[in-house]
């Protein structure tokens, strides 16, 4: 039902859309007068080149990862015309909504890259409209996979409103990780140090909320299944839900869950973000140091590993018990 390619798409699509959302919102916060001057010079002056390098690199990373996810999805489907058919259909379900949002996110992301690079002549008003549209479709792209999975009543581990919330938070965190990594590797970290400091603090907050949502999701699944299993009319679905949670916490998926997701993807990045936020609060602190940039890259890598492990374990732990419950 869900191959490794689909799991890869869930991760790559969410991370790419998250990066596009972060860049879109950051672009909306740029001073209008500065952006107007940069756009008038086609980003060829000194300030314009800095903006173009930061936003162009971050958006390129987001679009590239999004495209990789779309390639994985296409390879899994086997027939690209099926995806085209979804894209031209009316948005009557989450699959069609997802095809629409993916197409729109990709198209708007490419336009944003061209605009910030000065290749596409753009006015300040056009920048603002493009930023708002990209932010909206990126959020829809991040949310729809979780909504799609949570709508499947036959898979009890997914049938929770906590799941789409967790997917959105994870996608945002992965998007911030891509932006941080692209800024450091693209050599624009020092010029936008204040922006990166803010992103690090926001990422730390997102990770804290993600931990709480993860716990709430597992508790809600266990509570619903436990209440059902205690009833005389307990169903195989209740047993499948509890079996899925056991697979996550103490079964074959436990290593990826506890080490990949919890330790590497949540605890380590949160610790690095906390230390970095304190260290960078000093006026003398700089992002130019090798140790500081290495720490940020390590945090970003951990977040991305955790995002991949989240999708892999959620899919793996849900499908086997669900399949058994249908027999």
């Amino acid at each position: 039902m869900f191959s490794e390619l689909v799991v890869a798409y869930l991760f790559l699509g969410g991370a790419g859309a998250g990066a596009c959302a972060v860049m879109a919102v950051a672009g909306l916060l740029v001073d209008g007068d500065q952006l107007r001057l940069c756009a008038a010079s086609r980003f060829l002056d000194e300030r314009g080149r800095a903006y173009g390098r930061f936003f162009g690199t971050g958006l390129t990373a987001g679009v590239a990862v999004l495209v990789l996810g779309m390639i994985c999805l296409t390879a899994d489907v086997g027939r690209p015309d099926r995806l085209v058919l979804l894209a031209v259909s009316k948005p009557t379900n989450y699959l069609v909504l997802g095809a629409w949002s993916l197409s729109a996110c990709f198209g708007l992301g490419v336009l944003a890259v061209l605009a910030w690079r000065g290749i596409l002549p753009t006015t300040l008003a056009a920048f603002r409209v493009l930023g708002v549209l990209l932010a909206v479709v990126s959020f829809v792209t991040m949310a729809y996979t979780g909504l799609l999975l949570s709508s499947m009543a036959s898979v009890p581990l997914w049938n929770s409103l906590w799941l789409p919330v967790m997917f959105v938070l994870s996608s945002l965190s992965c998007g911030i990780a891509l932006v941080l990594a692209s800024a450091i590797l693209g050599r624009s970290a020092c010029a936008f140090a204040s922006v990166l400091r803010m992103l690090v603090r926001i990422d730390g907050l997102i990770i804290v909320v993600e931990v709480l949502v993860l716990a709430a999701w597992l508790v809600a699944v266990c509570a619903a299944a436990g209440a059902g299993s205690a009833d005389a009319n307990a169903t195989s679905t209740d047993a499948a839900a509890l079996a899925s949670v056991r697979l996550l916490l103490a079964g074959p998926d436990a290593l990826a869950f506890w080490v990949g997701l919890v330790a590497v993807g949540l605890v380590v990045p949160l610790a690095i973000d906390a230390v970095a936020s304190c260290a960078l609060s000093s006026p003398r602190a700089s992002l130019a140091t090798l140790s500081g940039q290495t720490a940020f890259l390590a945090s970003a890598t951990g977040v991305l590993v955790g995002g991949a492990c989240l999708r892999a374990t959620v899919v793996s732990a849900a499908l086997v018990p669900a399949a058994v419950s249908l027999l």
Side-chain angles (χ1 to χ4, degrees):
M1 181 180 178
F2 279 75
S3 67
E4 290 82 359
L5 287 171
V6 173
V7 174
Y9 157 70
L10 293 176
F11 165 63
L12 294 170
C20 289
V22 171
M23 288 282 88
V25 173
L28 291 172
L29 298 178
V30 173
D31 180 75
D33 293 333
Q34 293 184 11
L35 185 55
R36 185 182 290 107
L37 292 174
C38 292
S41 70
R42 299 286 290 270
F43 293 89
L44 294 176
D45 60 343
E46 182 178 357
R47 185 181 297 274
R49 287 194 297 270
Y51 276 120
R53 185 165 56 251
F54 176 70
F55 284 95
T57 304
L59 283 164
T60 299
V63 172
V65 172
L66 188 70
V67 169
L68 286 176
M70 296 170 71
I71 291 173
C72 290
L73 182 61
T74 303
D76 179 76
V77 172
R79 288 177 52 186
D81 59 296
R82 294 179 179 175
L83 297 181
V84 175
L85 180 61
L86 284 176
V88 298
S89 302
K90 294 182 179 180
T92 55
N93 56 52
Y94 291 129
L95 279 176
V96 178
L97 177 64
W100 277 40
S101 65
L102 273 173
S103 302
C105 192
F106 169 73
L108 292 172
V110 171
L111 288 177
V113 171
L114 296 177
W116 283 105
R117 289 294 189 182
I119 299 173
L120 181 69
T122 313
T123 64
L124 175 61
F127 262 111
R128 298 308 194 204
V129 172
L130 181 59
V132 171
L133 292 176
L134 182 57
V136 171
V137 298
S138 297
F139 178 81
V140 174
T141 303
M142 289 187 289
Y144 96 89
T145 51
L147 291 170
L148 173 64
L149 296 184
S150 67
S151 67
M152 298 183 182
S154 60
V155 185
L157 187 66
W158 297 344
N159 193 217
S160 169
L161 290 179
W162 290 111
L163 187 64
V165 175
M166 188 166 58
F167 270 35
V168 169
L169 291 171
S170 176
S171 296
L172 279 175
S173 187
C174 288
I176 291 175
L178 283 176
V179 170
L180 288 173
S182 64
I184 292 172
L185 297 177
R187 301 184 182 277
S188 59
C190 295
F192 290 85
S194 60
V195 176
L196 298 186
R197 291 189 188 101
M198 182 181 298
L199 286 178
V200 168
R201 296 187 178 101
I202 293 174
D203 186 49
L205 178 60
I206 290 174
I207 292 175
V208 171
V209 178
E210 191 177 350
V211 170
L212 297 176
V213 171
L214 178 62
W217 168 58
L218 293 176
V219 169
V221 171
C222 289
S229 61
D231 190 273
N233 298 319
T235 65
S236 57
T237 301
D238 298 324
L242 295 176
S244 292
V245 174
R246 283 195 294 269
L247 284 175
L248 270 182
L249 303 182
D253 298 314
L255 182 63
F257 179 83
W258 289 111
V259 177
L261 171 58
V262 176
V264 176
L266 297 174
V267 176
V268 171
L270 181 60
I272 294 176
D273 288 350
V275 172
S277 295
C278 295
L280 293 176
S281 61
S282 170
R284 296 183 178 180
S286 174
L287 283 171
T289 62
L290 178 61
S291 59
Q293 293 188 1
T294 302
F296 278 129
L297 287 175
S299 175
T301 301
V303 167
L304 294 173
V305 170
C309 289
L310 171 64
R311 274 77 174 178
T313 54
V314 165
V315 170
S316 176
L319 290 184
V320 174
V324 173
S325 69
L326 293 175
L327 296 179

